[in-house]
Amino acid sequence: MRASKLFARTLREAPAEAEVASHQLLLRAAYIRKLMAGVYTWLPLGLRTLRRVEAIIREEMDASGAQELRMPIVLPAEPWKITGRWQTYGQEMFKLKDRHDRELGLGPTQEEVVTPLVAGEFGSYRDLPVNLYQIEWKYRDELRPRFGLLRGREFLMKDAYSFDRDVDGLRSSYRTMFEAYERVFGRCGLDYRIVEADPGSIGGDVNHEFMALAAVGEDLFVSCENGDYAADVEAAQASTPEPAPPGDREEMVEIFTPGRPGIQDVAELLGRPAPDLLKCMLYDAGGRTVAVLVPGDREVNQNKVARALWPAPVRLFDDADFAAHGFVKGYVGPQKMSEDALVLADRSVRGGANWVTGANRIDHHVTGANVERDFRVDRWEDVMRVNEGDSCPRCGGRLHIGRSIVVGHIYQLGTRYSKPLKATFVDEDGTEQPYQMGCYGIGLSRIVAAAAEQFNDEAGLRWPKALAPYDAVVIPTNMDQAAVVETAERLYGELAELDIDAVIDDREVTAGVKFADADLIGYPVQIVVGKRSLQSGTADLKVRSTGQRSHAPLAQAARAAVDLLAGAP
Ligand SMILES: [Zn+2]
């Protein structure tokens, strides 16, 4: 490729709205251009990098035995209503209507398409297992699209779906995908962690996330200092304290706490630490009131609550709910919860006694509230957010919270979709069984952004060679000297013969501009030919990722570039 023809105008400055390195650099280096919030055009350089990611994924998926197909992006609403996701996805799903007023959606994920498809084609146990995948653009109407490709509204995904006869088969399919994912992310050169994860709106049981480490990442994960436990913060558990020993229980006493609805305010007034207080959060779960209890220094993890109450849709009480049910915001306690309400306590609440909590009356709290005597708990669950420094559930070591970008997510769905969609096969004994399903996603456009976050410096992008749009750039520094241009052109030709995908920067611009662009775009190897090269009979070479510089005789420069590329990360 000739830089003079390449559809790529680099920018010296990133637009002000670009806040993170990947967004800034992908714009500056002419990989992407914004069309509207969260929606980008992939310019030729960007598309080449995206295609390299795609090629790696396709190779590993094919090698794992999965078969590629292509499903529609525009989807009918009906199957989504059956699985409940038309509602649970809510406004995150782009919804539209056709001219006959039929409801349609743009696919954010495609269990509702692939499940009936397989049921219609493969109806016998003899057909199974089968694993189908596609690499397709997906849509999600993010409330606040930002950080460029990291939280976009259109993104490229690989999604695969496995169908098995039984749970053992599902586990085996899952393991195969798990290993394929390790190879994909390893080949992309990413620094990543595999963590246990929250299934979110996909549902199902066992699942793992593949998280690319990045300081700007919005996906928090918890890891043990001893390396035996790692989990997405939404799924992470900490070890729970021993139950409080039986012993003295204070009387429950109502106290006057004027104008102090917050935990911290009450703790200060009473001179007691926040963990002595009992936080009582109210949720609506499909019309039923749910009181969720955690110690006062803790946050409720709403995803865990949602999972505990699945499939009821869960939302925090709003002002109207408080009014309708006669609760006083800021002064809620679990005492005298009505019979039809559900009281759900975090397991850590077992470790405390003599709680300070709301008195269900304005400006009043109670002290000495105790489980069973003063309030009931209907269910004990893990509904708490893990904090930095909590104890590991496996070994008791210190837990640390890190930041990352989720680039892959795999799920054991079981019969979460096959049952409601009545997707069954005839088993060996003649009975109809729902498929045991798994689903497996990789965000390709996110991998590009995550790699740009991990591999950059002040000069620009430093791609691992597996992801760079081209392998090398040949830079003639003096375009006005025929011998320089001729030598550079010859080297460019030799690289092509050696199967190196190179760019020759034949633009009539200064050497300084060419060097800056070469660093910004991130070609793994730079080969520089100038007046001095001709005098000394050598070319200057630079490996972008390491900054390592070397010389090679002009006759061997192309070969030297091949060797440098082979040795580059
Ligand atoms: Zn541990």
Side-chain angles (χ1 to χ4, degrees):
M1 171 54 69
R2 298 187 169 275
S4 60
K5 299 275 181 279
L6 184 62
F7 189 69
R9 287 281 177 270
T10 58
L11 312 172
R12 289 296 143 235
E13 306 271 336
E17 66 180 50
E19 299 166 76
V20 299
S22 58
H23 192 192
Q24 291 167 349
L25 290 171
L26 291 170
L27 285 170
R28 281 187 52 207
Y31 280 68
I32 57 170
R33 287 290 178 261
K34 180 175 157 181
L35 177 66
M36 59 177 165
V39 180
Y40 292 85
T41 296
W42 289 76
L43 299 179
L45 286 172
L47 190 60
R48 285 181 74 96
T49 288
L50 190 62
R51 290 243 165 98
R52 293 191 97 160
V53 176
E54 191 174 331
I56 290 170
I57 292 172
R58 186 169 280 118
E59 273 177 38
E60 294 298 342
M61 291 305 293
D62 290 346
S64 75
Q67 299 172 59
E68 187 169 4
L69 48 49
R70 198 252 148 196
M71 291 179 275
I73 293 170
V74 182
L75 313 170
E78 289 74 24
W80 286 76
K81 289 184 175 168
I82 294 171
T83 61
R85 292 208 296 180
W86 189 255
Q87 196 188 6
T88 52
Y89 251 96
Q91 293 186 308
E92 295 245 305
M93 191 165 172
F94 275 105
K95 292 173 181 168
L96 51 149
K97 281 192 175 162
D98 69 10
R99 63 174 72 202
H100 305 294
D101 224 27
R102 279 189 286 253
E103 289 180 297
L104 306 171
L106 297 187
T109 164
Q110 284 173 315
E111 285 80 0
E112 281 83 351
V113 179
V114 74
T115 309
L117 174 76
V118 170
E121 309 287 327
F122 271 19
S124 160
Y125 72 95
R126 287 191 200 88
D127 299 325
L128 305 177
V130 63
N131 188 340
L132 301 171
Y133 79 98
Q134 64 172 353
I135 295 173
E136 187 57 88
W137 293 94
K138 300 248 180 289
Y139 297 85
R140 189 172 299 154
D141 195 3
E142 288 281 353
L143 184 59
R144 274 180 290 276
R146 60 191 197 131
F147 296 165
L149 304 177
L150 285 178
R151 201 196 278 178
R153 299 198 289 169
E154 180 187 66
F155 46 94
L156 188 61
M157 289 261 307
K158 185 283 300 176
D159 45 330
Y161 306 88
S162 68
F163 295 79
D164 276 277
R165 255 180 101 172
D166 52 28
V167 173
D168 283 348
L170 166 58
R171 288 198 187 118
S172 161
S173 296
Y174 189 82
R175 176 47 54 184
T176 301
M177 283 293 103
F178 191 104
E179 288 164 3
Y181 273 44
E182 289 181 304
R183 289 193 296 274
V184 165
F185 297 115
R187 285 180 64 184
C188 288
L190 289 175
D191 184 7
Y192 72 99
R193 299 284 181 278
I194 304 171
V195 308
E196 294 170 21
D198 180 86
S201 59
I202 298 266
D205 299 324
V206 180
N207 71 112
H208 288 89
E209 276 171 333
F210 293 72
M211 297 181 134
L213 304 192
V216 302
E218 295 186 286
D219 304 302
L220 301 180
F221 72 101
V222 171
S223 60
C224 172
E225 59 181 349
N226 299 323
D228 60 344
Y229 181 67
D232 162 346
V233 81
E234 299 301 349
Q237 304 179 358
S239 67
T240 41
E242 295 295 311
D248 290 347
R249 295 286 189 263
E250 299 167 14
E251 284 304 300
M252 187 168 77
V253 179
E254 194 171 283
I255 52 168
F256 186 46
T257 52
R260 289 175 185 266
I263 292 280
Q264 212 49 49
D265 298 334
V266 179
E268 272 166 29
L269 176 75
L270 301 180
R272 296 181 68 163
D276 283 6
L277 276 67
L278 187 63
K279 197 186 271 186
C280 183
M281 306 283 286
L282 296 177
Y283 290 86
D284 176 288
R288 187 180 189 193
T289 298
V290 180
V292 176
L293 310 180
V294 293
D297 61 332
R298 292 298 186 156
E299 295 301 323
V300 172
N301 179 329
Q302 191 164 329
N303 282 4
K304 288 183 178 177
V305 174
R307 215 181 328 162
L309 301 172
W310 174 269
V314 173
R315 59 174 180 78
L316 205 53
F317 258 30
D318 57 24
D319 289 343
D321 294 316
F322 275 98
H325 292 89
F327 287 107
V328 189
K329 204 173 177 179
Y331 298 92
V332 178
Q335 314 84 291
K336 298 180 194 155
M337 279 289 158
S338 71
E339 285 303 313
D340 48 348
L342 178 74
V343 183
L344 203 158
D346 186 77
R347 296 194 187 105
S348 61
V349 170
R350 278 203 180 111
N354 302 322
W355 296 102
V356 176
T357 192
N360 296 316
R361 188 178 156 201
I362 185 100
D363 292 341
H364 285 80
H365 282 77
V366 296
T367 62
N370 282 283
V371 183
E372 286 178 19
R373 189 192 68 191
D374 305 313
F375 63 91
R376 69 173 204 278
V377 171
D378 301 316
R379 279 170 68 183
W380 295 94
E381 296 277 353
D382 169 26
V383 288
M384 193 172 85
R385 257 181 103 85
V386 168
N387 286 351
E388 176 85 29
D390 277 352
S391 300
C392 170
R394 303 255 162 88
C395 75
R398 242 183 100 82
L399 293 177
H400 168 68
I401 298 181
R403 305 191 78 89
S404 72
I405 296 161
V406 175
V407 286
H409 202 159
I410 58 178
Y411 305 82
Q412 289 184 24
L413 297 171
T415 58
R416 159 83 180 86
Y417 294 91
S418 50
K419 261 195 184 149
L421 292 168
K422 299 188 171 54
T424 58
F425 64 95
V426 178
D427 211 347
E428 203 166 1
D429 60 6
T431 57
E432 294 245 332
Q433 300 291 341
Y435 297 95
Q436 289 287 337
M437 288 174 58
C439 82
Y440 317 91
I442 296 183
L444 283 80
S445 36
R446 272 193 152 207
I447 288 180
V448 173
E453 282 298 332
Q454 288 187 354
F455 304 102
N456 71 69
D457 58 20
E458 55 292 338
L461 294 159
R462 293 189 307 135
W463 297 114
K465 66 184 171 205
L467 303 189
Y470 288 92
D471 300 322
V473 61
V474 179
I475 303 176
T477 54
N478 314 83
M479 292 304 290
D480 53 350
Q481 309 238 335
V484 168
V485 173
E486 219 167 89
T487 307
E489 290 284 352
R490 202 186 64 234
L491 267 172
Y492 176 58
E494 287 171 13
L495 288 169
E497 278 164 32
L498 291 167
D499 243 3
I500 297 289
D501 237 334
V503 168
I504 181 165
D505 196 344
D506 57 346
R507 293 176 299 166
E508 300 279 350
V509 295
T510 65
V513 167
K514 293 184 181 183
F515 294 148
D517 278 349
D519 280 351
L520 177 61
I521 290 168
Y523 302 108
V525 176
Q526 302 173 8
I527 307 154
V528 181
V529 182
K531 245 186 318 191
R532 271 185 302 128
S533 313
L534 295 189
Q535 283 155 11
S536 63
T538 59
D540 297 327
L541 295 113
K542 180 172 131 180
V543 176
R544 174 68 179 100
S545 55
T546 61
Q548 177 204 341
R549 289 171 187 276
S550 55
H551 309 283
L554 285 170
Q556 278 110 56
R559 173 54 63 187
V562 173
D563 293 342
L564 286 175
L565 187 67

